[in-house]
Amino acid sequence: MEPCVSANLTGQLACNLQRLKERMARAAHRAGRRVEDIVPVAVTKSVDASVAQALVDLGVRDLGESRPQELWRKAALVQGPVRWHQIGHLQRNKVRRTLPLIYQLHSLDSLRLAERIQQEADALDLTVSVFVEVNVSGEPTKGGFSPEEVAGVLDVLGRLPRLRVVGLMTMAPWTPEPSQTRPVFAALRELRDKLRDGLAPNCPLTELSMGMSNDFEIAIEEGATVIRVGTALFEGIQTS
Ligand SMILES: *Cc1c(COP(=O)(O)O)cnc(C)c1O
């Protein structure tokens, strides 16, 4: 595919978005899936709020940030019908301020965090949609539960009614050859399929949040229902 080249921000973003959608559609087609069943979250951590605003003005609905303070800041600035996704580690002392702003939390990585969310969501009278983060690759630098822990974690989360456990999330190790990520994504899907039956009503576990700029096509082929894409959307655009 030719790279997008446009003289202005909106033109460049529109072209990058179009490319992303084409690549998503092809990957979905290869897997016999419908592209409508895959939600792209635009990860705006590397760009200014004005770029995030331009995306929203182009019709992008889902925006993600990895640092809660940055999510708070951009959520106050960006106008329009945005669904904000907290995709990076959420510190317990930032739960109260973050919960009212977000649509989904992708990075539930400890039971202490889950208990704090239950407590704060109860006080705020909210239900919070979360993904359980799983460290499939076992890299020590990555957060999340080990695959072996997840069944026990879901037992506990099933008793926290303010949480709605929509699915599992993982990050594959970066590799110059994206197809090498396939076993990681396949393992997350298999884990979800194995655990899905007999869960508490607040744990539908229908979603898989996996795939980033480098590897989203592989993730879609392996069943991703949510992908988190930053760099690929901002090619040719000033990043911070
Ligand atoms: C930054 C980030 C992404 C997006 O990464 P890109 O490679 O820029 O697409 C996705 N998920 C998480 C958790 C991130 O921190």
Side-chain angles (χ1 to χ4, degrees), residues 43 45 66 87 169 171 212-213 228-231:
V43 177
K45 67 185 178 201
S66 53
I87 63 170
M169 178 276 220
M171 267 188 278
M212 320 199 326
S213 292
R228 310 176 309 270
V229 178
T231 322

Side-chain angles (χ1 to χ4, degrees), residues 41-46 64-67 86-89 106-107 133 169-171 174 209 211-216 227-234:
V41 175
V43 177
T44 50
K45 67 185 178 201
S46 65
E65 282 288 332
S66 53
R67 293 176 54 239
Q86 172 63 31
I87 63 170
H89 178 63
H106 291 242
S107 47
E133 183 173 351
M169 178 276 220
T170 201
M171 267 188 278
W174 194 88
S209 171
M212 320 199 326
S213 292
N214 189 48
D215 51 25
F216 69 86
I227 61 172
R228 310 176 309 270
V229 178
T231 322
L233 273 180
F234 302 120

